[in-house]
Amino acid sequence: MYFTKSVSAFLVGALLATSALGDLQVPRRAAEDIVAREQKLERARKRASDCSNESAKKRALLSARDNKLVDSDSWDAGSGQDELLTVGLATCYGVAVVGNGGIGEDRFLSHSYSEDDSPPALEMLQAVIEAKNDGLSQLRSVLIYPDPNSYDNDRDKQEVQDEINNYIGALNHIGGSVTAESHDWRDPWGLKISSNKRITYGSDVHF
């Protein structure tokens, strides 16, 4: 910045000096225009520098973040800047749990098949209980499930409703707030826990 100002002052002085000679007269306005252009360039350099610094910060954040894709019939957990995502929830059940405090993992996500005798969600909820024993608190849970009314068969509707009741009962058992959201099974959803532990869901959810 100081170098740029010095060049501008030098140019102004030179232009004003030559204008006094008569044979190389330069209007004062031309000198002022040069200063204005230099100041504009300086502001542009400052904005570019700020943008570069912010980009570097974001790159560092992304390199430190672990984005985990949870496949069907599985679950995963994370902490810090970790993001968890599962997609393709059609007839399956998605469960996301986040909390505060504790000494380890503070976000959990599962993707369980329908009518699974031992769904990954149950193993995951056991891990949540263990995390609670280590100080995890203020739990927030989200259950994504297929809308029973989107099925044509009455038996399917009842079986799905029974499963939903079981999931909600298990989530109420671990404590905290529980949100349950349904969707037409023919419209697959995604479920995501962001780096700041915000839970989002819907047909357009992705990394």
Side-chain angles (χ1 to χ4, degrees):
M1 183 173 69
Y2 293 109
F3 177 76
T4 302
K5 288 183 176 178
S6 298
V7 171
S8 299
F10 170 78
L11 289 173
V12 171
L15 288 169
L16 291 177
T18 55
S19 66
L21 296 177
D23 55 341
L24 292 173
Q25 292 186 358
V26 179
R28 179 180 297 272
R29 181 177 177 182
E32 294 173 347
D33 286 347
I34 291 176
V35 174
R37 283 198 298 272
E38 289 294 335
Q39 291 174 341
K40 183 178 180 179
L41 283 172
E42 184 64 31
R43 292 192 297 271
R45 292 188 190 100
K46 175 65 168 56
R47 291 194 298 272
S49 177
D50 291 342
C51 180
S52 178
N53 290 338
E54 287 302 313
S55 295
K57 291 178 184 177
K58 290 180 179 179
R59 284 195 299 273
L61 179 62
L62 286 173
S63 63
R65 179 179 300 164
D66 187 4
N67 296 331
K68 301 181 179 182
L69 180 62
V70 179
D71 293 327
S72 301
D73 196 33
S74 64
W75 70 276
D76 208 338
S79 61
Q81 295 295 315
D82 292 347
E83 292 189 347
L84 303 174
L85 168 73
T86 192
V87 295
L89 290 168
T91 60
C92 298
Y93 297 81
V95 176
V97 182
V98 300
N100 297 326
I103 60 174
E105 293 162 330
D106 59 4
R107 64 206 69 182
F108 307 80
L109 192 147
S110 68
H111 185 144
S112 302
Y113 290 133
S114 176
E115 299 181 9
D116 191 339
D117 291 336
S118 182
L122 292 184
E123 183 180 346
M124 184 191 79
L125 293 181
Q126 182 58 47
V128 174
I129 292 174
E130 293 173 3
K132 284 184 63 180
N133 293 336
D134 289 332
L136 190 67
S137 62
Q138 298 176 309
L139 298 183
R140 291 180 289 116
S141 303
V142 171
L143 167 66
I144 302 301
Y145 64 91
D147 184 353
N149 292 322
S150 64
Y151 290 86
D152 297 326
N153 187 288
D154 288 340
R155 183 176 179 180
D156 288 336
K157 292 180 181 180
Q158 186 58 54
E159 290 177 348
V160 169
Q161 186 60 58
D162 291 342
E163 285 190 290
I164 295 167
N165 294 340
N166 289 335
Y167 273 98
I168 293 177
L171 291 173
N172 284 329
H173 176 71
I174 66 171
S177 65
V178 178
T179 299
E181 292 288 342
S182 67
H183 64 98
D184 191 310
W185 69 268
R186 289 159 291 202
D187 179 26
W189 276 18
L191 177 61
K192 176 181 178 180
I193 302 176
S194 66
S195 60
N196 64 358
K197 293 187 287 189
R198 180 170 176 250
I199 301 174
T200 54
Y201 42 83
S203 58
D204 58 346
V205 169
H206 52 78
F207 271 131

